[in-house]
């Protein structure tokens, strides 16, 4: 197979040059380590192909340091692979594809994992275990992506397919430019502020068969609209809202469990469509489901909507509610 295998057991940093050819393979015995700066970098922009089965890490990292920092890359991390950085485990500024069967982590746990502009509601990822300009991340069953501030952050359009664990101190998955996310029955995605965040720059489609959670905030935030399909095996649970759609209309189809402990299980702020199937449960403190704003809201309930104050509350003047299930408070 074309390419090269790095045979050195221990390297203090590694810079990819014109002498390196794709794919660049790091064996299980390889350890690439740096102190304070990124460990694996390149001295020119190229579509790198990296296969890692060893250890690539930053020791005593500083802001901006990543275990791997490249312009464009397709990266495979094997089951024995460990990639550990400070601000990021993997930082790919442009197009990136990451396939993980091992462990990818970032240790920065102070400050914010993203910046947010109140002028145009856009956000930029600052720290996460995996940061891409745009592209895709696949996390296999039993694999771990874990960040002190964020799990996976994609600044543009992207996709995430998770069957393992994606955990961040503030957010699990953050996709600013729209795209899609799938979470398998074995998958767990969690953060404190957001389990999953879809930014204003494009709609995000989420299909959940596993668990998505936020310990202090929102399980799924759809700022740019999109859809959430929560299957019968799926759970979306958060301290505030299980699912919240803010600036654009959204679609929710639920057959599993959606819970917002302190506020609402699900809320539309500008309208949308909710279908709660037989066996589906949406619960909250103030309401199971809430809708505000002037845009059309359609609710079809064949499952259970329940809240302490309201089972469902709709302030929209343009709404349709069809119920063959249970609505209780």
């Amino acid at each position: 197979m074309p390419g090269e295998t790095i045979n050195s057991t221990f390297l203090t940093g590694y810079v990819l040059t014109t002498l390196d050819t794709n794919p660049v393979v790091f064996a299980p015995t390889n350890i690439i380590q740096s102190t304070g700066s990124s460990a694996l970098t390149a001295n020119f922009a190229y579509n790198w192909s990296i296969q890692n089965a060893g250890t690539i890490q930053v020791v005593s990292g500083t802001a901006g340091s990543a275990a791997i920092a490249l312009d464009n890359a397709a990266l495979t991390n094997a089951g024995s692979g460990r990639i550990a950085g400070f601000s990021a485990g993997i930082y790919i500024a442009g197009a990136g594809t990451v396939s993980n069967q091992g462990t990818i982590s970032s240790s920065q746990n102070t400050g914010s994992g993203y910046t947010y502009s109140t002028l145009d509601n856009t956000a930029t990822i600052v720290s996460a275990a995996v940061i891409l300009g745009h592209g895709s991340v696949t996390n296999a069953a039993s694999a771990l992506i874990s960040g002190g501030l964020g799990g996976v952050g994609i600044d543009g359009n992207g996709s995430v397919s998770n069957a393992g664990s994606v955990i961040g101190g503030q957010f699990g998955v953050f996709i600013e430019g729209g795209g899609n996310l799938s979470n398998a029955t074995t998958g767990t995605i969690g953060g404190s502020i957001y389990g999953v965040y879809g930014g204003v720059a494009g709609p995000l489609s989420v299909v959940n068969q596993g668990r998505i959670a936020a310990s202090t905030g929102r399980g799924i935030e759809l700022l740019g609209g999109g859809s959430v399909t929560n299957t019968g095996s799926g759970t979306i649970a958060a301290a505030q809202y299980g699912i919240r759609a803010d600036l654009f209309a959204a679609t929710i189809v639920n057959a599993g469990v959606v819970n917002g402990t302190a506020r609402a299980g699900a809320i539309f702020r500008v309208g949308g469509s909710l279908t709660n199937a037989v066996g589906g449960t949406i619960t909250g403190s103030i309401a199971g489901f809430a809708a505000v704003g002037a845009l059309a809201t359609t609710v079809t309930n064949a499952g259970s909507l329940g809240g302490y104050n309201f089972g469902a509350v709709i302030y929209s003047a343009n709404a349709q509610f069809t119920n063959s299930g249970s609505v209780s408070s």
Side-chain angles (χ1 to χ4, degrees), residues 30 38-39 45 102 112 118-119 133 142-143 184 217 242 248 250 291 329:
N30 290 148
S38 298
S112 178
T118 56
L119 296 177
S142 78
F248 292 86
S329 64

Side-chain angles (χ1 to χ4, degrees), residues 1-24:
M1 180 174 65
E4 64 177 313
T5 300
I6 308 301
N7 293 313
S8 300
T9 301
F10 183 88
L11 293 168
T12 303
Y14 191 89
V15 179
L16 298 165
T17 72
T18 54
L19 299 177
D20 292 290
T21 56
N22 282 330
V24 182

Side-chain angles (χ1 to χ4, degrees), residues 42 63 92 111 115 121 158 175-176 193 203 240 250 273 282 300:
I92 300 174
T115 59
N121 301 300
I175 302 177
E176 173 65 13
I193 303 173
Q240 293 182 356
S273 172
I282 302 177
T300 302

